[in-house]
Amino acid sequence: MKPLKAQGMKVLVVGGGGREHALVWKLAQSPRVEKIYCAPGNAGIAQLAQSVDIKADDVSALLSFAWENKIDLTVVGPEAPLAAAIVDTFQAHDIAIFGPSQAAAEIEGSKAFSKDLMQKYHIPTAAYGVFTEVEPALAFIDQLASTQPAQSPCPCVVKADGLAAGKGVIVAASVEEAKEAVRSMLEGNSFGEAGSRVVIEEYMEGEEVSILAFTDGDVIVPMVSAQDHKRIFDNDEGPNTGGMGAYSPAPVYTEELAPIVEEKILKPTIEAMKAEGRPYVGVLYAGLMITQEGPKVLEYNARFGDPETQPVLMRLESDLVDIIEAILQKKLDQQTIRWSEDATVCVVVSAKGYPSDYEKGQVITGLDDVLDNVQIFHAGTTEADGNIVTAGGRVLGITAKGKDIREAIELVYRQTEKTTFAGAHYRKDIGRRALERLS
């Protein structure tokens, strides 16, 4: 790929959530960028970029827009357009775009594919089975349960094979709950086509950590660590969500652990994808469980995570455009990426009812009264009658930076109390595990 413009760049960001707001916010800091478009965007993004009324997975409309508006670089946020071959399509028209190909994005698009890849290339992960029929799946659950220690809180984890917006994972508290999840997916069509095939895994005990990494297909450079909070309620209770908050760094990810993950998981994954004829370029997200046997892969995502991107990018000191250009030119090994030593915490504020049916149209107050070292990233928001109102399940990602996790937590919750709407819900324990490890 030829070099990007030194200045005056037009950039298109695809997506409209909190991750995309963080990407727009970071890209806007580059002196090389003149104008940013975002499709479809949201009310917060509209303060930094021109919103474009095109859905994130409408690849043909996005291509036409990029061509007609002479876009210099497109950055893809969510997984759906990657699975719909947006990168392949743009590259075929010689338009610079950042993200993995459709074939490479299958590492997220199919959990069965990723599990088979890990097994083939000896990348540590949980024991598993893949099923399209109910009876063999139920028998496998019984088999897994019989091998679990008596004190294990769960017999297994049931996952929809395809994309399910972060909600297609059931951590079953009992054998019957696991079997009900299988029946719901395979017979009840609870996740549509995404759940027509299920992956059943042994339950792994430990603490989770998210490692996002830049890669040009040959070189992989990890970003600073983060920890996500998937469950809707405090103390990791209730159903899974797209993510209710995250913080960086995660103390569980020690200096001793980092090189092990790089050598046993990250580098082998990139080598495996290359060996499979699916070279991986972009951001690889490895969701890890730190077990007594060492780090193991829970899942991969083929893009920036949400909400991890918000606290991670708030710590990035280098120009994101420079990093992307180095990746697209396969010169990542020549790039020095700088990170702040500060800690960051993101608290997601969700609408009443989320992750099930949720309310929309609630007026958000306190958006103009923002404390120093705080960024309010919009996710599900829109403008109506001169007000910013709720328009999604996850509404805001309030993110604060402090000299340490304790200071960042205190600051983010001070802001969260000030910025609210009717029915607003947020977890009160984001970052608690970090405080416990550091105390």
Side-chain angles (χ1 to χ4, degrees):
M1 190 207 81
K2 62 185 180 183
L4 299 173
K5 285 183 180 177
Q7 58 186 17
M9 286 178 59
K10 292 182 180 179
V11 177
L12 170 63
V13 174
V14 177
R19 163 187 48 221
E20 288 74 37
H21 192 175
L23 284 166
V24 167
W25 172 79
K26 190 62 190 174
L27 290 165
Q29 296 170 21
S30 173
R32 303 176 64 178
V33 174
E34 180 178 288
K35 185 172 180 62
I36 303 176
Y37 300 89
C38 190
N42 61 42
I45 290 172
Q47 298 169 25
L48 295 169
Q50 182 176 325
S51 294
V52 180
D53 189 18
I54 302 174
K55 292 181 178 179
D57 59 355
D58 189 344
V59 173
S60 60
L62 290 167
L63 175 66
S64 296
F65 178 86
W67 187 262
E68 291 164 8
N69 288 275
K70 296 181 171 56
I71 297 298
D72 298 297
L73 172 67
T74 298
V75 179
V76 185
E79 59 272 25
L82 296 172
I86 186 172
V87 171
D88 311 69
T89 304
F90 275 49
Q91 287 177 342
H93 290 81
D94 202 28
I95 300 174
I97 185 167
F98 181 63
S101 67
Q102 182 183 44
E106 194 171 358
I107 202 167
E108 176 176 9
S110 169
K111 292 181 176 63
F113 168 80
S114 68
K115 294 293 288 190
D116 290 347
L117 183 86
M118 287 183 271
Q119 183 180 64
K120 181 177 179 180
Y121 291 94
H122 309 293
I123 298 166
T125 189
Y128 73 102
V130 179
F131 304 93
T132 56
E133 301 294 331
V134 171
E135 291 308 318
L138 301 185
F140 186 73
I141 290 170
D142 286 330
Q143 178 189 330
L144 275 182
S146 69
T147 63
Q148 292 280 46
Q151 68 272 21
S152 175
C154 302
C156 63
V157 179
V158 181
K159 299 179 176 181
D161 175 57
L163 298 175
K167 305 183 189 79
V169 177
I170 307 298
V171 181
S174 66
V175 168
E176 192 45 54
E177 185 181 346
K179 291 182 175 181
E180 180 53 39
V182 165
R183 294 187 188 100
S184 174
M185 291 183 196
L186 294 182
E187 293 181 336
N189 203 35
S190 57
F191 289 101
E193 184 61 29
S196 62
R197 180 164 61 167
V198 299
V199 175
I200 303 174
E201 297 180 351
E202 67 172 336
Y203 176 76
M204 290 192 288
E205 191 81 57
E207 190 170 339
E208 292 187 39
V209 66
S210 302
I211 302 300
L212 284 69
F214 295 113
T215 179
D216 61 8
D218 295 314
V219 175
I220 187 160
V221 179
M223 304 183 208
V224 290
S225 64
Q227 188 174 86
D228 186 17
H229 299 64
K230 282 288 189 188
R231 302 294 190 100
I232 186 70
F233 299 124
D234 288 7
N235 302 313
D236 296 321
E237 295 180 354
N240 267 348
T241 70
M244 290 302 296
Y247 63 89
S248 175
V252 68
Y253 197 69
T254 62
E255 289 183 8
E256 295 76 24
L257 193 59
I260 295 171
V261 168
E262 203 165 339
E263 292 302 321
K264 291 192 173 182
I265 294 173
L266 297 179
K267 287 181 180 177
T269 301
I270 294 305
E271 291 301 319
M273 292 297 283
K274 195 191 307 182
E276 291 294 308
R278 303 168 184 251
Y280 192 101
V281 177
V283 170
L284 179 71
Y285 169 135
L288 308 178
M289 181 69 80
I290 311 304
T291 73
Q292 289 186 337
E293 296 84 41
K296 297 184 179 182
V297 178
L298 285 164
E299 64 177 5
Y300 295 109
N301 289 331
R303 34 74 191 181
F304 279 102
D306 190 349
E308 294 95 337
T309 299
Q310 291 85 308
V312 166
L313 284 190
M314 207 163 168
R315 294 184 60 199
L316 179 61
E317 294 180 340
S318 298
D319 190 322
L320 183 56
V321 174
D322 291 347
I323 298 170
I324 290 173
E325 180 177 45
I327 290 169
L328 296 181
Q329 291 192 305
K330 289 198 171 295
K331 296 179 179 178
L332 184 56
D333 58 341
Q334 301 175 24
Q335 191 75 17
T336 300
I337 301 175
R338 302 181 311 279
W339 300 94
S340 167
E341 293 295 319
D342 291 340
T344 48
V345 179
C346 172
V347 172
V348 170
V349 186
S350 65
K352 184 179 180 180
Y354 178 79
S356 299
D357 294 336
Y358 51 81
E359 295 181 347
K360 295 182 181 180
Q362 302 297 332
V363 175
I364 306 170
T365 59
L367 290 169
D368 297 326
D369 185 12
V370 182
L371 299 166
D372 290 341
N373 293 317
V374 172
Q375 294 293 328
I376 299 178
F377 295 114
H378 290 227
T381 67
T382 191
E383 188 170 348
D385 300 323
N387 294 310
I388 306 296
V389 301
T390 65
R394 293 189 294 170
V395 179
L396 303 171
I398 300 175
T399 309
K401 179 191 282 190
K403 68 178 186 297
D404 55 29
I405 287 284
R406 189 177 303 277
E407 183 175 281
I409 289 172
E410 179 186 339
L411 184 57
V412 78
Y413 280 112
R414 278 172 54 200
Q415 184 69 55
T416 303
E417 289 169 6
K418 295 165 55 148
T419 310
T420 191
F421 51 88
H425 166 76
Y426 58 90
R427 282 182 56 161
K428 315 296 193 298
D429 64 345
I430 305 299
R432 172 180 55 80
R433 285 200 199 90
L435 292 180
E436 289 172 351
R437 282 191 169 271
L438 297 172
S439 61

